[in-house]
């Protein structure tokens, strides 16, 4: 699949570098450029009128006039909305990208291997949109965990759990109805439930990605809100978590 894309950045050197990297990828076909949000909208309208819509927009955020977050919200309203890949020097706009359902969020300076990941995600999403069978099969749900309740053994399925908290050699499963202590280290449970949509956000916490309702970034500190609880996100997990949330939001109806 050859993609028609639009690169948008108000800084000429950054735009030139991005175009150069895009041209080096065989999955990218025609590349158009714009130096601001208004020009980007005009080019997207023209592409739609010509019957050759743009598949993805690689978009800077901080631009004069119509900035990238505002433009992203406008694009999300298109009947045939292009995918959005933010390319920015600022981490703090990840929450905006999550809300806009961007396909990816890349930090400058852009590394070729990181851009290649974004292009793969764009290509996969474009294939799904056109009904091409390029997606990996859904993994089977991992096994439930047995818990003791008043002398009765009950099995708690991964889908019931909002997040898991490490407590020494034990793990506490937090569900909407309460919590359950099970004898398994968090690292072992993280591996066992790796195919059930859980992500390690901290040495003490394993979180169900679908249960995250908020991602908060404040003065370099990152937290997530899950089931009313605000949990810390270790610095080394921030980028991976942000990427996963952006991809999940993009796939949501």
């Amino acid at each position: 699949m050859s993609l028609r894309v639009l690169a948008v950045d108000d800084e000429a050197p950054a735009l030139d570098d991005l175009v150069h990297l895009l041209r080096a990828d065989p999955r990218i076909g025609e590349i158009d450029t714009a130096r601001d949000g208004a020009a980007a909208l005009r080019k997207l309208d023209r592409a739609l009128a010509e019957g050759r819509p743009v598949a993805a927009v690689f978009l800077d955020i901080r631009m004069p006039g119509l900035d990238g977050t505002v433009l992203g919200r406008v694009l999300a309203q298109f009947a045939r909305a292009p995918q959005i890949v933010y390319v920015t020097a600022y981490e703090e706009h990840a929450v905006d990208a999550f809300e806009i359902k961007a396909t990816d969020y890349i930090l400058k300076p852009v590394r070729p291997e990181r851009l290649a990941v974004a292009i793969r995600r764009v290509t996969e999403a474009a294939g799904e949109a056109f009904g091409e069978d390029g997606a990996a099969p859904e993994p089977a749900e991992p096994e439930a965990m047995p818990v003791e309740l008043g002398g009765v053994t009950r099995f708690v399925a991964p889908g019931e759990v909002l997040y898991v908290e490490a407590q020494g050699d034990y793990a506490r499963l937090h569900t909407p109805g309460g919590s359950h202590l099970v004898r398994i280290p968090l690292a072992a449970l993280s591996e066992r439930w790796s195919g059930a949509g859980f992500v390690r956000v901290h040495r003490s916490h394993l979180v169900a990605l679908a249960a995250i309702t908020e991602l908060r970034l404040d003065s370099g500190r990152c937290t997530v809100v899950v089931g009313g609880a605000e949990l810390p996100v270790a610095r080394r997990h921030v980028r991976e978590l942000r990427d996963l949330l952006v991809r999940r939001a993009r796939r949501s109806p």
Side-chain angles (χ1 to χ4, degrees), residues 201-205 207 221-224 230-234 241:
V201 298
H202 190 272
R203 61 185 175 86
S204 299
H205 293 103
V207 174
R221 179 173 177 268
C222 182
T223 60
V224 289
E230 185 172 3
L231 307 175
V233 179
L241 176 62

Side-chain angles (χ1 to χ4, degrees), residues 130-149:
F130 286 97
E132 296 180 12
D133 187 15
E138 291 293 325
E141 183 170 293
E143 63 185 284
M145 291 297 300
V147 300
E148 296 295 327
L149 293 173

Side-chain angles (χ1 to χ4, degrees), residues 5 25 56 69 73 98 107 115 121 129 147 168 176 192 196 224 249:
V5 301
D25 194 296
T69 56
R73 291 188 175 93
F98 173 54
L107 289 177
L115 183 62
R121 292 173 179 170
V147 300
R192 184 176 296 186
V224 289

Side-chain angles (χ1 to χ4, degrees), residues 4 30 43-55 80 130:
R4 184 184 186 191
E30 184 178 348
K43 294 199 173 187
L44 289 167
D45 284 339
R46 186 179 307 120
L48 285 171
E50 293 171 351
R52 298 187 304 121
V54 169
R80 296 182 64 182
F130 286 97

